[in-house]
Amino acid sequence: MTPLTSKVCVVGDFAVGKTSVVERFVTNHFSEEYLSTVGVKIDTKEIDFPTLGMTHKLVIWDVAGTEEFGAREMAYLRGASGYIYVADGTRAATLKAIERLHKQILEAYGAAPGVLLVNKRDLEPDWEVSDERFDAIATRFGNAYRTSAKTGDDVDQAITRLAELIIDNDMRGG
Amino acid sequence: MNDLDQLKELLFGAEKQALDSISERVERREIRTADVADILPEAIHQSHQKDGELVESLTQPVGECVQRGLRDEPETYADALYPVMGPAIRKSIMHALRNFSQQINEAVEHSVSPQGLKWRWQASRAGIPFGEYVLQKTMRYRVEQAYLISRENGLLVDHVHHESSKIKDSDAVSAMFTAIQDFVKESFSPDRTGRLESADMGEFTLWAVHGPHALLVCVIRGVPPKSLRADLSAILERIHFRYGDAIRDYKGDTSTIPDVEVELERCLRFEAREESGETRSGPPIQIVILLLLLVAAAAFFGVRSWMYSQQQDKLDAALNATPGIYVTNIDRSGRNFVVRGLRDPLAADVIDVAGSVDIPADRLTVSMRPFQSLQPEILAARAAQMFGPPESVDISVSGTTLHVSGEAPSVWRQTLQSRFSNLAGVDALDVSRLTASDRAEFSERVASLSRSRFFFRSGVELVEGDAGRLREFASDLANLLEDARSFGYSVAVTARGSTDSIGDAAANAALADRRATFAAGVLASAGVDARTIRQADLDNTDGPQLADVSQRYVQFDLQLESMPDLP
């Protein structure tokens, strides 16, 4: 199969579950323990696309959580082919942070494929994000998922969708 | 031609001719081909001088042409490449052999030294092959891995490594190095122009060489020289020269940068550590050990050879000292011996003789031809075999004389005496110390007949009864003498005549003689050999003259003499 390697950055506010989402996707494992990411953490995962006859390896940069990127975080994002935006469904403010971060990325590096993961679906009764709010932001992002790193709900689907979007973008010469 | 045509001819005649000519050149293929052929070399030259598009355009079709040519006419290409392939292959093999021999030399050099044993132990504890451990200890530096990383996105363009290097996820390593690079630049470089160029991690050093579009990161074991950085920079420059645009636009598709691995492999340098003068001051310990081993081996084989030589001498001496064996040759092959020569069938077995000098039969090959020995011991043995002597008899030979001693029956002695001359190498027999085991019995028979007296009435007339008794005596004596002859004894018979003392002494002596002669004649008539009978007179003249009839007799005395000498 033809190999393709892409840099993907995971961004979002503090404690929204970015590292847990990556861990669920890469190792299919979830840890209840909370460890704050310092700087950036790197993981890789290969996804096969038999219909396309290719393997897509994602080099996932799990950037430390922040409401707004500083220069160091922006440096980490340079050259990314796609973004995984992660918000916490139990904290509506984290969606606001996503909007700010998205705007910063657009300004610094231009448009790039991205998916939005509104995480902690397993805590849905406690959610502050209403369906209307979710739909509204989903419309803007194009690809939004209610995910749970704890149960694994829609994590694979969301990130695999991003991998597809990156391939499409590359094919279009974007 | 109408007026209009004439007008056209007048106005555009020359142009029309030119157009026709151009039209012809365009429409006729052969003319077009000739035109292109005229300008093609110059056009190629100009295009090549201008930019690289020509090369790019020709790469694929020329490549396909070469592929097809190789497939369809491999012999032609093989002939063409022959002058190039030989040196290239030789160079490659020499390079590989040089590396291999260097590693072997290092490994052997350190395999038996105290330091080598220590390293072997440490390599075992570290769980890596000894050869690899020696290499680590003896090299000055070795570039273990090289990463070519896109500066734009941190993606790994390519990665090469030494065979023994343990590789993690090279994409993750590449990304993490880029992240660290960014972290350092953003955190510690106020103007963001600083960059991480080296990092130390235990026994490894990371060197990063920065290019416009790519970052070359090398993982180096040991202490690299400064000149290595210049070499790495040159390699990165060459990569940029060949793949600069492709690396700039790299999005993770490695097929856009083909064969960059070949360039990158040039980074995997190795340099051995120079030996210190101290280690060169004396002969290497392994040479000393090797010499000691050689001396020990030479001593071992020398001593063993000497021992075998001694055994050969002992065997030779033992065989030559063995009667009936004549050794012509003893060959030694390693620890085994081959004995050739002559052997009397009565001689001791060669294997038994060898056994007496501690040479077992499995180390011996015997090739002996039979012969008849005249050595005294063998002659004695042959005599014993021939005559079957009683246990009480000893047989020996000195010179050509057979000595027989001890005690044996008279019959056996007679057989010996009659046949000893058949024994080759013997021409005399000595039985002076051989006594007859049956002599006592025979002596008794002689004693029983000796001193027998036969009385006379008067003259030579026997008293009544003694005539018959004399005849019986004569028969018994004849038998005794016959037996004596057959047993080899000699019996002396003496007839003594006696008379009474009356009368003239001379007459009596004559009478006594007549009586002895008479009695001897009786014996002779009974078959006794008269030659064995001697006559003697009894001296009875000194007494008083009495008519004593008891003095009128003949007495036979028998004397068993010793065995006669050999003829």
Side-chain angles (χ1 to χ4, degrees):
Chain A
M1 289 188 181
T2 305
L4 175 68
T5 307
S6 299
K7 173 179 176 178
V8 171
C9 292
V10 185
V11 297
D13 206 344
F14 296 104
V16 295
K18 298 182 291 300
T19 302
S20 295
V21 164
V22 174
E23 187 178 9
R24 168 61 70 184
F25 176 64
V26 173
T27 67
N28 197 27
H29 179 259
F30 176 79
S31 171
E32 293 282 0
E33 189 179 10
Y34 174 69
L35 292 172
S36 178
T37 303
V38 178
V40 65
K41 182 173 174 294
I42 310 287
D43 277 299
T44 63
K45 171 84 183 256
E46 284 186 355
I47 308 170
D48 290 334
F49 291 98
T51 54
L52 299 174
M54 66 187 302
T55 300
H56 193 178
K57 184 172 188 176
L58 299 183
V59 181
I60 305 168
W61 293 49
D62 176 13
V63 181
T66 180
E67 293 177 338
E68 188 171 352
F69 291 132
R72 191 183 304 157
E73 289 78 18
M74 290 304 291
Y76 293 150
L77 305 181
R78 189 182 63 250
S81 297
Y83 297 89
I84 300 169
Y85 298 93
V86 183
D88 181 354
T90 64
R91 290 185 290 151
T94 59
L95 278 177
K96 284 283 186 191
I98 289 296
E99 288 175 355
R100 278 194 297 276
L101 298 176
H102 185 227
K103 184 181 176 192
Q104 279 188 288
I105 290 170
L106 282 175
E107 289 173 353
Y109 301 117
V115 289
L116 172 64
L117 280 65
V118 183
N119 197 32
K120 305 189 183 179
R121 181 174 164 183
D122 53 294
L123 302 175
E124 206 154 12
D126 300 329
W127 270 34
E128 292 178 356
V129 179
S130 64
D131 289 345
E132 292 74 19
R133 179 77 194 279
F134 178 82
D135 291 341
I137 198 164
T139 303
R140 284 177 53 198
F141 270 87
N143 293 280
Y145 297 84
R146 292 184 181 88
T147 62
S148 168
K150 186 173 183 178
T151 63
D153 286 350
D154 276 354
V155 172
D156 274 7
Q157 290 84 337
I159 301 178
T160 302
R161 176 59 186 154
L162 175 63
E164 290 173 348
L165 291 172
I166 292 171
I167 294 170
D168 290 343
N169 192 48
D170 278 1
M171 286 180 172
R172 286 199 306 269
Chain B
M1 182 180 292
N2 55 26
D3 294 341
L4 183 59
D5 289 338
Q6 286 182 344
L7 184 59
K8 284 180 180 176
E9 183 67 30
L10 286 172
L11 290 175
F12 306 112
E15 287 77 4
K16 187 172 182 302
Q17 284 181 349
L19 281 172
D20 289 343
S21 173
I22 290 170
S23 177
E24 185 180 9
R25 292 176 73 95
V26 171
E27 289 174 356
R28 290 184 58 185
R29 184 182 177 87
E30 61 274 19
I31 296 176
R32 287 208 317 272
T33 303
D35 288 345
V36 172
D38 278 344
I39 63 168
L40 187 61
E42 189 178 345
I44 290 174
H45 181 70
Q46 282 190 11
S47 176
H48 183 59
Q49 292 292 321
K50 192 172 70 177
D51 53 35
E53 281 188 24
L54 179 66
V55 174
E56 195 170 329
S57 302
L58 290 176
T59 298
Q60 189 172 357
V62 169
E64 289 178 2
C65 287
V66 171
Q67 283 181 359
R68 182 176 297 180
L70 282 171
R71 189 179 61 234
D72 296 343
E73 297 178 51
E75 294 83 4
T76 306
Y77 281 86
D79 291 344
L81 288 173
Y82 177 77
V84 181
M85 286 172 68
I89 291 169
R90 276 196 296 277
K91 188 176 177 182
S92 174
I93 290 173
M94 287 298 292
H95 180 71
L97 283 177
R98 198 158 46 239
N99 288 342
F100 179 68
S101 72
Q102 186 175 3
Q103 293 190 16
I104 291 293
N105 286 343
E106 294 284 356
V108 169
E109 191 170 330
H110 294 90
S111 59
V112 293
S113 64
Q115 188 182 47
L117 295 174
K118 180 183 171 188
W119 287 358
R120 191 176 287 280
W121 163 248
Q122 289 173 340
S124 170
R125 290 185 62 189
I128 60 177
F130 176 62
E132 182 64 23
Y133 191 82
V134 169
L135 203 61
Q136 291 176 12
K137 286 292 182 184
T138 56
M139 68 188 175
R140 184 178 180 191
Y141 77 90
R142 183 172 75 180
V143 179
E144 303 270 328
Q145 303 179 49
Y147 295 82
L148 185 66
I149 302 169
S150 163
R151 288 192 66 180
E152 171 62 19
N153 49 29
L155 289 177
L156 183 69
V157 177
D158 209 336
H159 171 229
V160 295
H161 60 88
H162 192 272
E163 287 177 4
S164 61
S165 300
K166 293 175 181 174
I167 304 303
K168 299 284 180 62
D169 185 339
S170 53
D171 286 299
V173 172
S174 168
M176 202 66 226
F177 189 85
T178 305
I180 293 169
Q181 185 77 239
D182 293 337
F183 168 78
V184 169
K185 188 163 66 178
E186 294 295 334
S187 302
F188 304 110
S189 177
D191 59 357
R192 296 179 182 174
T193 56
R195 52 197 183 186
L196 183 63
E197 294 196 330
S198 70
D200 292 329
M201 302 172 298
E203 59 186 324
F204 293 104
T205 299
L206 251 65
W207 272 13
V209 181
H210 298 257
H213 306 304
L215 184 64
L216 176 61
V217 177
C218 291
V219 181
I220 306 164
R221 189 194 292 270
V223 182
K226 287 183 178 177
S227 60
L228 177 64
R229 184 174 286 280
D231 294 343
L232 296 177
S233 295
I235 292 170
L236 186 59
E237 285 167 8
R238 183 178 165 85
I239 290 172
H240 273 84
F241 178 76
R242 290 191 61 182
Y243 306 105
D245 292 344
I247 293 174
R248 182 193 60 208
D249 300 331
Y250 184 65
K251 297 289 184 188
D253 182 0
T254 53
S255 64
T256 59
I257 310 175
D259 301 330
V260 71
E261 185 179 357
V262 177
E263 298 287 344
L264 212 52
E265 279 178 343
R266 297 170 58 212
C267 298
L268 300 181
R269 303 285 182 87
F270 167 84
E271 188 171 306
R273 182 180 296 163
E274 290 181 9
E275 292 289 341
S276 66
E278 187 182 348
T279 59
R280 293 291 186 195
S281 59
I285 184 72
Q286 57 269 32
I287 296 295
V288 174
I289 291 174
L290 189 63
L291 286 174
L292 287 175
L293 287 174
L294 286 173
V295 169
F300 172 74
F301 287 113
V303 168
R304 199 170 68 164
S305 176
W306 177 79
M307 288 174 64
Y308 289 156
S309 177
Q310 291 291 306
Q311 281 189 324
Q312 182 177 350
D313 292 344
K314 283 184 180 177
L315 178 63
D316 193 24
L319 289 172
N320 282 322
T322 303
I325 290 179
Y326 177 72
V327 176
T328 58
N329 183 31
I330 297 180
D331 285 334
R332 182 162 67 84
S333 172
R335 59 196 293 271
N336 298 322
F337 301 100
V338 179
V339 180
R340 295 185 183 85
L342 305 172
R343 176 179 170 271
D344 190 293
L346 295 175
D349 197 299
V350 173
I351 290 176
D352 292 341
V353 176
S356 69
V357 291
D358 300 327
I359 298 175
D362 61 350
R363 291 174 53 197
L364 207 63
T365 303
V366 180
S367 175
M368 306 294 282
R369 301 181 66 181
F371 85 117
Q372 197 173 59
S373 171
L374 299 182
Q375 284 181 278
E377 294 84 351
I378 299 300
L379 281 176
R382 187 165 294 115
Q385 186 188 47
M386 183 183 289
F387 298 113
E391 291 181 357
S392 54
V393 168
D394 288 327
I395 297 176
S396 63
V397 174
S398 64
T400 58
T401 302
L402 181 66
H403 300 276
V404 181
S405 60
E407 197 176 72
S410 303
V411 176
W412 182 83
R413 171 187 165 133
Q414 279 192 312
T415 305
L416 175 67
Q417 288 172 327
S418 62
R419 293 176 55 196
F420 82 91
S421 58
N422 294 338
L423 204 57
V426 172
D427 56 14
L429 177 65
D430 171 20
V431 289
S432 60
R433 288 184 293 151
L434 179 64
T435 57
S437 59
D438 47 7
R439 183 185 180 94
E441 182 187 348
F442 201 78
S443 294
E444 285 179 9
R445 284 181 65 191
V446 170
S448 66
L449 293 178
S450 188
R451 304 183 72 82
S452 296
R453 290 185 177 183
F454 301 94
F455 294 94
F456 293 87
R457 187 185 307 273
S458 63
V460 292
E461 183 186 354
L462 289 166
V463 298
E464 188 179 355
D466 274 9
R469 206 161 56 85
L470 180 58
R471 284 193 297 275
E472 287 179 10
F473 173 78
S475 175
D476 290 343
L477 181 59
N479 289 337
L480 176 68
L481 292 177
E482 179 65 27
D483 288 348
R485 226 179 354 263
S486 64
F487 290 173
Y489 290 109
S490 172
V491 178
V493 180
T494 305
R496 298 175 188 275
S498 178
T499 64
D500 58 23
S501 56
I502 297 175
D504 181 59
N508 282 345
L511 178 61
D513 186 59
R514 281 173 54 209
R515 282 176 179 167
T517 303
F518 169 77
V522 173
L523 293 184
S525 64
V528 175
D529 186 354
R531 288 175 299 176
T532 64
I533 303 172
R534 287 178 292 175
Q535 293 182 15
D537 295 338
L538 290 174
D539 185 11
N540 54 1
T541 59
D542 292 339
Q545 291 190 351
L546 295 171
D548 186 357
V549 296
S550 66
Q551 294 303 315
R552 301 170 189 165
Y553 62 85
V554 166
Q555 178 176 310
F556 290 100
D557 291 327
L558 276 62
Q559 180 65 43
L560 180 61
E561 297 180 340
S562 61
M563 292 183 197
D565 289 338
L566 294 170

